């Protein structure tokens, strides 16, 4: 990755702002697991939903800051989340396919950066839970997404987000020398390539399979605008997820798929670099999702490194500049960072708010550019 002098200086200036902000935010949220910053103050998912799927991102952000600064206080704050999540492992009920998000960025990060043996055990426990959600029916099989608490029976549902969770399986396979974890990850990825990624490079969000036969049943718009649309965070999950799969298991079809999805994303980036919730949503109102831009930036930086193509790095820089200059709250007195994150197109309550996982991916992207980040996937 060849940044110009000016580009590197710009990234380093963002790094300094992040250090100033999070040295203060971490203390206010040291005993929280944040999700959204309401009026500049982090909420605390530990109080109402310890199984919530984003509950690893605050720890991941702290680990990124620890790696970049060497300040052990970040590690202490990150471990608060890691230890608090033990009751989720012990309780089991309520866990889902997003255990990758929860424990890759907390326990596995701790193991990778400090060699904490207890953290390794937590990560392997979570990987076993994720592997246990695999349904081998059909040509390849799939990892079930949610549990039965979303109304209709969703036993056969899989979602594009899981491409970001299967790195936990790759890590467990590498860590233990047991290929079973990797086989599950690769079979799920094969199903995603066959049933989620469209010919134009866009991705479906939810696909339903017959849980007995594994046959395709239907697909749904999910958090996007409608069926057949292109929910942008789903595009970024697919883009970055296949980049990760390629880094763990360098199959040419993974790189080909990530480039296909990436090219679709590139073709649809607005002139101002701010990403809508869905690439196929109506022009007005212009609802946006900063998370999609931050995740895609992380993926494009990796693609630029793998493929040696400047256009991917240019895309990442455009996305990050748009966020840094228009949608970022740099005030250390405010807990949130990105200002226009959106949970779903039709969710009126959580549109254009701050969300911790958007902040995480923005920090990860800046750390990549500066060369001082941690690979937590």
């Amino acid at each position: 990755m060849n940044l110009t002098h000016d580009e590197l200086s710009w990234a380093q200036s963002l790094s300094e702002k992040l250090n100033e902000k999070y040295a203060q935010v971490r203390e206010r949220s040291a005993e929280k697991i944040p999700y959204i910053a309401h009026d500049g103050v982090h909420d605390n998912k530990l109080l109402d939903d310890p199984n919530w799927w984003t509950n690893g991102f605050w720890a991941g952000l702290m680990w990124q800051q620890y790696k970049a600064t060497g300040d052990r206080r970040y590690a202490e704050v990150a471990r608060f989340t890691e230890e608090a999540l033990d009751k989720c492992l012990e309780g089991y009920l309520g866990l889902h396919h997003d255990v990758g998000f929860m424990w890759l960025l907390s326990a596995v990060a701790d193991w990778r950066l400090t060699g904490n043996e207890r953290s390794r055990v937590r990560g392997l426990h979570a990987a076993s839970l994720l592997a246990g959600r695999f349904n081998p029916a059909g040509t390849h099989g799939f990892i079930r997404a949610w549990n039965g608490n979303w109304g209709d029976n969703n036993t056969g549902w899989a979602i594009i987000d899981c491409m970001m969770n299967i790195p936990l399986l790759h890590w467990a396979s590498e860590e233990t020398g047991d290929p079973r974890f990797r086989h599950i990850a690769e079979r799920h990825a094969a199903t995603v390539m066959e049933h989620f990624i469209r010919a134009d490079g866009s991705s479906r969000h939810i696909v339903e399979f017959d849980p007995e036969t594994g046959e395709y049943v239907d697909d749904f718009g999910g958090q996007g605008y409608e069926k057949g649309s292109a929910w942008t965070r789903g595009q970024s999950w697919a883009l970055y997820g296949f980049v990760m799969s390629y880094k763990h298991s360098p199959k040419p079809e993974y790189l080909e798929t990530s480039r296909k999805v990436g090219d679709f994303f590139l073709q649809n980036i607005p002139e101002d670099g701010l990403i809508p919730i869905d690439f196929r949503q109506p022009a007005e109102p212009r609802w946006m999702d900063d998370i999609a831009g931050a995740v895609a930036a992380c993926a494009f930086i990796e693609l630029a490194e793998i493929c040696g193509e400047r256009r991917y790095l240019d895309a990442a820089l455009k996305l990050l500049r748009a966020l840094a200059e228009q949608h970022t709250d740099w005030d250390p007195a405010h807990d949130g960072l990105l200002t226009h994150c959106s949970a779903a197109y039709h969710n009126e309550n959580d549109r254009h708010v701050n969300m911790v996982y958007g902040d995480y991916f923005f920090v990860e992207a800046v750390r990549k550019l500066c060369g001082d980040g941690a690979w937590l996937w």
Side-chain angles (χ1 to χ4, degrees):
M1 180 173 60
N2 296 314
L3 290 172
T4 67
H5 175 76
D6 288 345
E7 290 166 347
L8 180 57
S9 295
W10 173 76
Q12 291 171 337
S13 71
L14 297 186
S15 173
E16 292 172 2
K17 291 181 179 180
L18 291 175
N19 292 343
E20 180 183 0
K21 184 178 180 83
Y22 283 109
Q24 297 186 43
V25 177
R26 73 181 182 195
E27 300 306 323
R28 293 193 296 269
S29 299
E31 296 185 358
K32 292 181 179 181
I33 300 183
Y35 173 46
I36 293 176
H38 298 283
D39 297 323
V41 179
H42 275 151
D43 63 6
N44 187 4
K45 275 295 180 182
L46 183 59
L47 298 177
D48 64 350
D49 193 354
N51 292 313
W52 186 244
W53 72 276
T54 67
N55 282 356
F57 283 100
W58 175 243
L61 198 161
M62 294 293 96
W63 284 119
Q64 290 291 354
Q65 285 295 107
Y66 168 76
K67 175 65 168 57
T69 67
D71 184 343
R72 294 195 61 81
R73 178 59 178 156
Y74 286 113
E76 294 171 359
V77 175
R79 287 198 179 111
F80 176 84
T81 291
E82 180 181 345
E83 293 168 3
L85 293 181
D86 280 349
K87 64 181 178 182
C88 301
L89 292 174
E90 294 163 1
Y92 177 75
L93 297 177
L95 289 176
H96 35 68
H97 75 147
D98 284 321
V99 294
F101 282 136
M102 293 174 72
W103 278 280
L104 269 173
L105 301 177
S106 58
V108 177
D110 194 351
W111 163 248
R112 282 170 159 157
L113 294 174
T114 74
N116 185 344
E117 287 285 349
R118 180 71 184 112
S119 301
R120 178 178 182 269
V121 171
R122 290 178 174 119
L124 293 174
H125 192 168
S128 296
L129 288 171
L130 182 57
R133 300 186 70 85
F134 180 69
N135 185 332
T139 305
H140 308 294
F142 63 93
I143 295 174
R144 178 183 177 179
W146 300 301
N147 301 323
N149 54 356
W150 283 64
D152 297 335
N153 185 346
N154 55 24
T155 307
W157 286 20
I159 66 175
I160 192 62
D161 315 41
C162 197
M163 286 303 302
M164 298 288 291
N165 287 287
I166 60 175
L168 177 65
L169 298 176
H170 284 291
W171 168 79
S173 192
E174 294 157 6
E175 191 65 31
T176 63
D178 188 336
R180 292 177 298 167
F181 295 102
R182 174 173 50 81
H183 291 328
I184 291 172
E186 291 178 347
R187 290 180 66 178
H188 180 81
T191 292
V192 172
M193 285 187 286
E194 180 177 353
H195 292 290
F196 283 76
I197 307 303
R198 304 184 183 110
D200 65 356
S202 65
S203 174
R204 299 175 172 91
H205 180 201
I206 303 171
V207 175
E208 179 182 2
F209 301 97
D210 184 314
E212 295 291 344
T213 67
E215 294 180 0
Y216 168 88
V217 175
D218 202 355
D219 64 84
F220 310 103
Q223 290 164 253
Y225 176 62
E226 63 183 2
K227 181 173 181 175
S229 64
W231 176 50
T232 55
R233 193 157 74 248
Q235 311 308 302
S236 68
W237 291 151
L239 169 59
Y240 202 9
F242 276 103
V243 169
M244 294 174 190
S245 287
Y246 179 76
K247 292 190 70 168
H248 284 285
S249 182
K251 294 188 173 187
E253 58 265 37
Y254 294 163
L255 182 57
E256 178 184 346
T257 302
S258 67
R259 288 166 64 91
K260 181 178 180 179
V261 176
D263 287 346
F264 173 81
F265 201 104
L266 276 172
Q267 293 162 10
N268 286 278
I269 296 175
E271 184 63 31
D272 64 6
L274 298 172
I275 303 301
I277 297 177
D278 195 305
F279 281 133
R280 292 172 180 152
Q281 71 187 40
E284 296 294 336
R286 192 186 179 196
W287 297 117
M288 291 171 280
D289 183 19
D290 292 345
I291 306 166
V295 176
C298 290
F300 281 132
I301 293 169
E302 294 292 337
L303 268 183
E305 188 73 26
I306 293 168
C307 302
E309 295 186 23
R310 177 72 199 194
R311 65 194 183 104
Y312 292 132
L313 182 58
D314 287 341
L317 291 169
K318 179 175 182 175
L319 294 169
L320 292 173
R321 285 187 185 277
L323 292 174
E325 295 169 6
Q326 302 178 65
H327 280 183
T328 302
D329 183 349
W330 292 108
D331 188 345
H334 299 161
D335 293 345
L337 187 67
L338 298 185
T339 60
H340 285 63
C341 304
S342 298
Y345 185 85
H346 296 287
N347 187 336
E348 296 180 1
N349 294 324
D350 290 339
R351 284 192 303 225
H352 292 188
V353 298
N354 167 262
M355 291 181 173
V356 70
Y357 59 118
D359 296 352
Y360 169 80
F361 284 106
F362 183 86
V363 171
E364 181 186 301
V366 172
R367 295 298 168 213
K368 287 180 189 291
L369 293 178
C370 293
D372 57 10
W375 174 253
L376 303 184
W377 302 103

